[in-house]
Amino acid sequence: MKLLKISVIILFFTSISVVAQKQITLQEIWSGAFRTQRMDELNAMKNTNQYTVLNFDRASRSMQIDLYDFATLNKVSTLLDSKNFSELRGIDSYTFNENETQILIANNSNQIFRHSFTADYFLYDLASKKLTKISDYQIQEPTFSPDGTKIAYAYQNNLFVYDIVANKHLQITTDGKKNAIINGITDWVYEEEFAFVRAFDWNKSSDKIAFIRFDETQVPEFSMDLYNQGLYPTQQVFKYPKAGEKNSEVSLHVFNLKSNETKQVDLSKYNDFYIARINWTNEANTLSAQVLNRHQNNLDLLFVDGNSASYKVVLNETDKAYVDVTDNLTFLNDNSFIWTSEKDGFNHIYHYDKNGKLRRQITKGNWEVTAYYGFDDKTGKIFYQSVENGSINRDVYAIGINGKAKKRLTSKTGTNRATFSPNFKYFINSFSSATTAPTYTLNDSKKGTEIKKIVTNEILEQKLAEYEVAPKEFTTITTEKGHTLNAWLIKPKNFDATKKYPLFMYQYSGPGSQSVDNSWNGYDDYWFMMLAQKGYIVACVDGRGTGFKGAEFKKCTYKELGKYEVEDQIDAAKVFAKYDYIDESRIGIFGWSYGGFMASNCIFQGADVFKSAIAVAPVTSWRYYDSIYTERYMQTPQENASGYDNNSPINHVSKLKGNFLLVHGTADDNVHVQNSMKMIEALIQANKQFDWAIYPDKNHGIYGGNTRLQLYTKMTNFILEKL
């Protein structure tokens, strides 16, 4: 009797435990139930030891730009509240002028491509509290002159200058024309692959503007049908250079506001080239420009004389594969400059004098610098982020510009990112790991000591603890070919090593990317946890070609995109298949974009290994993708036909044995739906059965309304039925 009573009690508590353990649902994931608290639009001020954050007040449905003190974290004031201005319906983004007396505010933004947009822009004067709309039309990339008296901007492919005091607009260029000439704004392929939109820059004395002009007249056009709600579809037509096709012809110009004259820099010695970056140096008449050959394995850093438009090459960077372009070029007070390079096999920081002579390699070692934060000229310290504590982690460091006295400023293992105060006395550290949701802390920059917590996500951590989920387990695997690769696994919470589980693999695999990193969950991670709750083990492997393990590991895929990466995913699946608890007959793989290219290749070329695959928005042949990205890694199709064709999934469809789901959006301006349509036809002609889903008017991200919920429901059902 006593024994029976104890058993009942045990059973009672067990039932409570089971009830307490919730199941993740797709509705929760895509309704934002696991959204983290963050510091939005965090900007360090330049002239005071303060920072601003964009806050949202739910009660009044208004947005505030709030000012905080770095030393105390106390709110100093609200610089602007949108509820006080009827014409200001929300704040999309904001920037300060140099002396931080005026704010440029964007709202009603309309997206063009991934980074570009037009918006209504307002100028807010902090002293008078006056809000002025800059123009009656939407503009692009408005930028204060350093002296704060003018704003340069782009409108309909031309450049303009707005004189704040005189309230007048000066048109600098007149030949701008859609799908023909663009002044001061990048074309589609520059925006996507060199990751910048504003192709103009003010000099330090505010009397010159340098800009890049794009002549895309000869670039082939791509068109997309947009179905919308009307009776007839409309068509979006834009210039898109595919691999091996004609690029925009670019030229570099300097406009002098005093003389109203424009001079062109003579770059005739270069042929078929890119201008990957332009920045004025700390010398008012010296412009820097990074010129890259079409193969992207030779980069010249030019110093251009702003008066004569003549130039000299101050630094040359070459690579047997390709040179990565970054935003790390930083000019110091004496016009010497900081540069990052992979030339010793790992990405490190270098210091050059104003003439381009190397003063010192500042960081060294078999690890990568992943971010350059800045230089404190008072202490002589450089601050940076790196993977010295393991390639899946990120830490913040300080080091002398002489390469000595290096100090790790972050102590927790995971992903640390810093925002430094203007005087470099403090930094706000954003930290997360696979088990710790994002936290923001104030730290001192001398020792890295944590002073105070700002934002935590303990409530989210407690909420997730109510669910029956297990965190990622980080590991490495060694393939039969001897390659050691980073990996993680998510197992069911009630994992039993004596059972056999189906395996669902996720990867991206693109050059220099990283999917195995020690940071907090993204939306897909919650989906993977949900699948683990349904009895699957989910794994992710970063194969050769991915980043942060040195140039050799990353660049071994040069001219052969999809060869070694596919080998590694197939070999990784074979390693997992030998685990006692993995059902080798039930291994699937999923990926999006480059990952979709990979998932397609794996189900075709690894037909005896993978039972099922899901490919979302995949490249199916590199011949269909853009020039800058593709040629960086493959050269042109004319030069490397076998590299393109041997590794493209469209040419391996006849090998399909398992279950294949193909997904694409019709308005994908990046990886065109043409990729999937061509592969669908190839699969049909190979008489292969497969599943597919096309999302009308959805871009590369395939979202909007219930789109993500419907898509992930479809993918979940496919996995449950076919794996």
Side-chain angles (χ1 to χ4, degrees):
M1 198 69 182
K2 209 171 189 179
L3 186 61
L4 178 60
K5 188 176 180 182
I6 292 170
S7 299
V8 170
I9 292 170
I10 290 171
L11 185 63
F12 175 74
F13 279 109
T14 302
S15 65
I16 289 177
S17 176
V18 171
V19 171
Q21 293 294 303
K22 297 180 182 178
Q23 299 294 302
I24 294 175
T25 67
L26 290 170
Q27 286 81 2
E28 286 178 302
I29 295 171
W30 295 110
S31 66
F34 302 106
R35 190 179 292 123
T36 56
Q37 297 294 317
R38 297 184 181 273
M39 298 179 72
D40 293 332
E41 292 283 334
L42 172 63
N43 288 293
M45 304 293 276
K46 296 177 182 177
N47 303 311
T48 59
N49 204 40
Q50 297 168 321
Y51 64 92
T52 59
V53 174
L54 184 61
N55 289 318
F56 176 65
D57 186 301
R58 292 188 182 277
S60 63
R61 308 296 297 173
S62 63
M63 303 186 81
Q64 301 80 35
I65 300 174
D66 290 327
L67 183 67
Y68 296 84
D69 181 32
F70 259 109
T72 65
L73 299 181
N74 292 334
K75 179 178 169 180
V76 177
S77 63
T78 294
L79 300 181
L80 180 143
D81 192 326
S82 65
K83 72 181 180 185
N84 296 328
F85 300 93
S86 59
E87 65 269 49
L88 198 59
R89 297 183 299 276
I91 299 171
D92 297 340
S93 60
Y94 64 94
T95 54
F96 288 88
N97 63 352
E98 195 74 22
N99 62 7
E100 295 168 338
T101 58
Q102 294 183 313
I103 311 176
L104 196 54
I105 299 161
N107 84 337
N108 194 27
S109 299
N110 287 296
Q111 204 72 27
I112 302 173
F113 298 119
R114 187 192 295 263
H115 307 290
S116 58
F117 61 92
T118 61
D120 295 323
Y121 280 91
F122 295 84
L123 184 64
Y124 182 67
D125 186 277
L126 288 167
S128 67
K129 302 192 183 306
K130 181 183 177 183
L131 187 73
T132 306
K133 193 174 184 182
I134 290 179
S135 61
D136 294 329
Y137 42 86
Q138 290 210 327
I139 61 177
Q140 280 185 274
E141 299 294 321
T143 306
F144 282 110
S145 60
D147 66 8
T149 63
K150 298 176 180 65
I151 296 171
Y153 65 89
Y155 171 63
Q156 294 186 340
N157 291 16
N158 281 312
L159 271 179
F160 294 77
V161 171
Y162 171 63
D163 188 312
I164 296 172
V165 177
N167 191 25
K168 289 183 178 179
H169 297 260
L170 169 68
Q171 187 166 350
I172 293 176
T173 66
T174 57
D175 59 347
K177 183 181 179 183
K178 182 177 173 60
N179 288 335
I181 304 295
I182 316 172
N183 292 288
I185 297 292
T186 53
D187 65 0
W188 185 94
V189 71
Y190 267 66
E191 173 181 339
E192 178 66 27
E193 306 304 355
F194 286 139
F196 74 110
V197 176
R198 180 169 62 87
F200 66 86
D201 197 37
W202 286 97
N203 72 338
K204 294 297 179 185
S205 54
S206 303
D207 59 359
K208 293 183 178 71
I209 298 174
F211 65 94
I212 306 173
R213 178 181 183 269
F214 292 80
D215 183 345
E216 52 180 4
T217 309
Q218 301 301 315
V219 178
E221 288 182 342
F222 190 83
S223 62
M224 296 189 306
D225 283 335
L226 300 175
Y227 300 97
N228 302 310
Q229 301 300 319
L231 192 59
Y232 293 92
T234 58
Q235 199 171 59
Q236 183 180 358
V237 179
F238 58 100
K239 299 286 188 166
Y240 184 108
K242 292 183 185 283
E245 297 298 311
K246 182 75 174 173
N247 281 322
S248 290
E249 293 182 6
V250 290
S251 52
L252 182 59
H253 305 260
V254 178
F255 176 75
N256 189 316
L257 274 78
K258 292 179 178 177
S259 64
N260 274 3
E261 291 180 333
T262 301
K263 288 188 177 180
Q264 181 174 339
V265 180
D266 182 4
L267 299 175
S268 57
K269 68 164 275 191
Y270 295 99
N271 180 47
D272 208 0
F273 62 95
Y274 301 111
I275 305 174
R277 295 285 187 273
I278 58 169
N279 305 93
W280 287 94
T281 73
N282 283 328
E283 293 178 352
N285 262 334
T286 304
L287 170 73
S288 76
Q290 297 181 42
V291 177
L292 200 59
N293 65 335
R294 183 151 182 169
H295 279 170
Q296 299 175 62
N297 57 11
N298 188 99
L299 186 152
D300 283 346
L301 176 63
L302 313 183
F303 277 7
V304 179
D305 184 291
N307 291 324
S308 65
S310 61
Y311 69 87
K312 61 179 180 179
V313 178
V314 295
L315 186 148
N316 172 252
E317 183 98 11
T318 61
D319 193 282
K320 61 184 179 182
Y322 51 89
V323 178
D324 279 321
V325 174
T326 74
D327 290 309
N328 294 332
L329 174 61
T330 307
F331 294 95
L332 308 185
N333 289 337
D334 61 357
N335 226 41
S336 65
F337 58 91
I338 297 296
W339 182 261
T340 56
S341 170
E342 294 179 307
K343 64 183 179 181
D344 77 345
F346 294 86
N347 193 51
H348 283 297
I349 300 171
Y350 295 78
H351 184 203
Y352 289 85
D353 71 16
K354 62 187 289 185
N355 298 309
K357 181 181 178 182
L358 179 63
R359 284 184 177 175
R360 187 173 290 104
Q361 180 177 345
I362 296 169
T363 60
K364 296 178 182 178
N366 294 340
W367 45 268
E368 305 255 296
V369 169
T370 45
Y372 169 77
Y373 290 126
F375 171 64
D376 181 2
D377 55 8
K378 296 183 293 296
T379 63
K381 287 182 179 178
I382 281 175
F383 298 94
Y384 67 94
Q385 180 201 58
S386 79
V387 295
E388 290 172 67
N389 189 30
S391 59
I392 68 170
N393 300 310
R394 301 286 186 279
D395 279 289
V396 179
Y397 287 82
I399 191 171
I401 197 166
N402 59 4
K404 298 178 180 179
K406 181 171 69 176
K407 183 169 182 59
R408 180 182 171 189
L409 298 178
T410 46
S411 57
K412 294 178 181 177
T413 300
T415 300
N416 294 274
R417 293 186 176 93
T419 300
F420 282 87
S421 62
N423 61 7
F424 288 100
K425 187 175 180 181
Y426 306 101
F427 67 95
I428 292 175
N429 187 47
S430 162
F431 169 78
S432 81
S433 71
T435 55
T436 305
T439 61
Y440 294 80
T441 58
L442 179 68
N443 299 60
D444 87 81
S445 299
K446 194 171 184 180
K447 296 182 179 179
T449 307
E450 181 181 310
I451 299 170
K452 191 176 181 181
K453 282 185 170 59
I454 310 172
V455 174
T456 68
N457 278 281
E458 292 172 354
I459 294 174
L460 176 58
E461 291 177 6
Q462 292 165 7
K463 179 177 182 175
L464 194 60
E466 297 173 4
Y467 291 78
E468 193 177 7
V469 296
K472 292 176 181 174
E473 297 177 13
F474 290 98
T475 185
T476 58
I477 64 169
T478 301
T479 67
E480 60 184 13
K481 296 183 179 69
H483 302 294
T484 300
L485 310 173
N486 291 336
W488 57 248
L489 292 95
I490 297 175
K491 297 174 182 175
K493 185 72 178 289
N494 59 355
F495 172 73
D496 183 346
T498 65
K499 291 184 178 180
K500 291 279 189 181
Y501 294 89
L503 176 69
F504 185 65
M505 293 175 63
Y506 160 72
Q507 46 66 56
Y508 177 74
S509 303
S513 67
Q514 186 175 54
S515 298
V516 182
D517 64 321
N518 192 5
S519 63
W520 186 246
N521 307 318
Y523 287 105
D524 275 346
D525 292 315
Y526 293 108
W527 183 48
F528 300 147
M529 290 175 182
M530 189 194 84
L531 293 175
Q533 288 181 328
K534 296 181 183 299
Y536 293 85
I537 289 177
V538 184
C540 179
V541 177
D542 275 342
R544 284 171 291 171
T546 56
F548 312 111
K549 297 179 75 173
E552 185 178 349
F553 187 86
K554 180 175 75 173
K555 295 179 178 179
C556 71
T557 61
Y558 185 58
K559 293 189 185 180
E560 295 280 7
L561 286 188
K563 180 178 180 179
Y564 301 112
E565 305 98 303
V566 171
E567 272 185 21
D568 285 351
Q569 294 301 318
I570 293 172
D571 288 348
K574 290 177 179 177
V575 172
F576 289 134
K578 293 177 182 177
Y579 290 8
D580 292 339
Y581 52 82
I582 296 294
D583 183 345
E584 65 178 349
S585 68
R586 298 175 67 194
I587 299 177
I589 190 165
F590 158 69
W592 197 306
S593 192
Y594 198 102
F597 159 78
M598 289 288 298
S600 304
N601 258 327
C602 286
I603 192 73
F604 301 157
Q605 298 190 55
D608 296 326
V609 176
F610 293 100
K611 182 182 180 182
S612 301
I614 302 173
V616 183
V619 171
T620 62
S621 169
W622 288 111
R623 292 176 180 270
Y624 302 141
Y625 200 54
D626 76 57
S627 56
I628 292 180
Y629 182 94
T630 311
E631 294 171 16
R632 179 185 304 152
Y633 309 117
M634 297 286 281
Q635 296 190 353
T636 66
Q638 295 88 336
E639 298 167 299
N640 183 25
S642 63
Y644 276 75
D645 297 335
N646 293 348
N647 303 309
S648 287
I650 199 169
N651 297 318
H652 296 280
V653 293
S654 63
K655 301 171 186 175
L656 176 64
K657 293 181 182 178
N659 310 299
F660 183 47
L661 173 59
L662 177 61
V663 178
H664 221 121
T666 65
D668 191 335
D669 63 283
N670 183 0
V671 180
H672 303 147
V673 72
Q674 172 191 25
N675 283 268
S676 285
M677 291 302 184
K678 291 282 191 179
M679 189 149 79
I680 287 166
E681 176 61 14
L683 285 160
I684 290 169
Q685 295 310 318
N687 194 26
K688 296 295 180 179
Q689 295 301 308
F690 63 101
D691 295 284
W692 56 296
I694 297 295
Y695 286 83
D697 296 341
K698 296 301 182 282
N699 65 15
H700 196 55
I702 312 182
Y703 59 86
N706 281 326
T707 304
R708 279 287 177 99
L709 177 58
Q710 197 276 348
L711 169 59
Y712 275 76
T713 301
K714 177 177 287 295
M715 294 196 296
T716 301
N717 292 339
F718 177 83
I719 294 164
L720 295 175
E721 294 169 10
K722 303 294 178 76
L723 185 59

